[in-house]
């Protein structure tokens, strides 16, 4: 009974966010930009910080990548055992971008952006974390608006990332020096 109510809430929320038949072209195109193209800026951001950032910034990059990797692994386990169809696979809403008909929960896009946001936030790098918080919200909204995700796909991904990031934070001081020294030894970092 509870699962059905959650599904109904997810569907209702999705329908309130998903693009209507008369959605303005500017809004649709903006959503497409955030849903499909902003993701490509993340590797460039990581590369820039890795080669030109301080040691603290390199640590944030490394933490972000570890959180992303672990969260994606957890996400794959969820997909294997509890696959949830995308909205267009269920015949609901409007789909305005092409996407493979695979499981939607948890959202990989949300994992990427929320990992960067949370990693910067936990490092008390509030200016960059605010930028990534806004990007995280825009990416989440756009993926729902364009019909390839449900709201709970986004919330679930965020919760996974939050748990992984907080657990990593507990162990980071124990593993940080080993990892950073290894990378420094093999010239993977310059500063």
């Amino acid at each position: 009974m509870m699962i059905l109510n959650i599904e109904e809430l997810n569907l209702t929320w999705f329908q309130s966010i998903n693009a209507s038949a008369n959605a303005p072209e500017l809004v649709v195109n903006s959503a497409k930009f955030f849903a499909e193209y902003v993701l490509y800026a993340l590797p460039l951001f990581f590369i820039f910080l890795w080669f030109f950032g301080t040691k603290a910034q390199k640590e944030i990059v490394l933490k972000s990548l570890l959180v992303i990797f672990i969260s994606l692994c957890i996400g794959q386990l969820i997909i294997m055992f509890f696959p949830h169809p995308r909205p267009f696979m269920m015949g609901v809403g409007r789909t305005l971008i092409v996407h493979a008909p695979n499981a939607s929960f948890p959202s990989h896009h949300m994992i990427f952006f929320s990992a960067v946001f949370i990693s910067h936030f936990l490092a008390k790098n509030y200016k960059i974390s605010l930028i990534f918080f806004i990007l995280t919200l825009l990416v989440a909204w756009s993926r729902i608006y364009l019909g390839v995700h449900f709201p709970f796909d986004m919330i679930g991904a965020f919760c996974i990332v939050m748990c992984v990031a907080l657990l990593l934070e507990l162990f980071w001081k124990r593993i940080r020096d080993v990892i950073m020294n290894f990378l420094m030894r093999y010239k993977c970092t310059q500063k």
Side-chain angles (χ1 to χ4, degrees), residues 98-132:
V98 176
H99 200 291
N102 53 12
S104 69
F105 183 89
S107 165
H108 292 163
H109 281 73
M110 190 64 166
I111 286 173
F112 285 111
F113 282 94
S114 55
V116 178
F117 155 61
I118 292 169
S119 295
H120 279 88
F121 184 82
L122 291 174
K124 297 182 172 117
N125 194 348
Y126 297 125
K127 288 180 183 177
I128 292 179
S129 70
L130 177 61
I131 292 167
F132 276 97

Side-chain angles (χ1 to χ4, degrees), residues 130-149:
L130 177 61
I131 292 167
F132 276 97
F133 176 69
I134 292 167
L135 284 174
T136 298
L137 291 177
L138 287 168
V139 168
W141 163 79
S142 68
R143 308 282 296 169
I144 299 165
Y145 185 79
L146 297 172
V148 294
H149 277 291

Side-chain angles (χ1 to χ4, degrees), residues 68-112:
I68 289 168
F69 176 75
I70 295 167
S71 298
L72 286 173
C73 289
I74 292 168
Q76 285 306 116
L77 288 173
I78 293 170
I79 287 168
M80 282 174 44
F81 294 106
F82 307 102
H84 190 276
R86 292 182 183 277
F88 62 85
M89 295 166 66
M90 298 171 62
V92 296
R94 291 183 64 215
T95 307
L96 300 175
I97 58 174
V98 176
H99 200 291
N102 53 12
S104 69
F105 183 89
S107 165
H108 292 163
H109 281 73
M110 190 64 166
I111 286 173
F112 285 111

Side-chain angles (χ1 to χ4, degrees), residues 140-161:
W141 163 79
S142 68
R143 308 282 296 169
I144 299 165
Y145 185 79
L146 297 172
V148 294
H149 277 291
F150 287 104
F152 284 0
D153 300 341
M154 302 301 170
I155 293 168
F158 184 85
C159 290
I160 291 167
V161 168

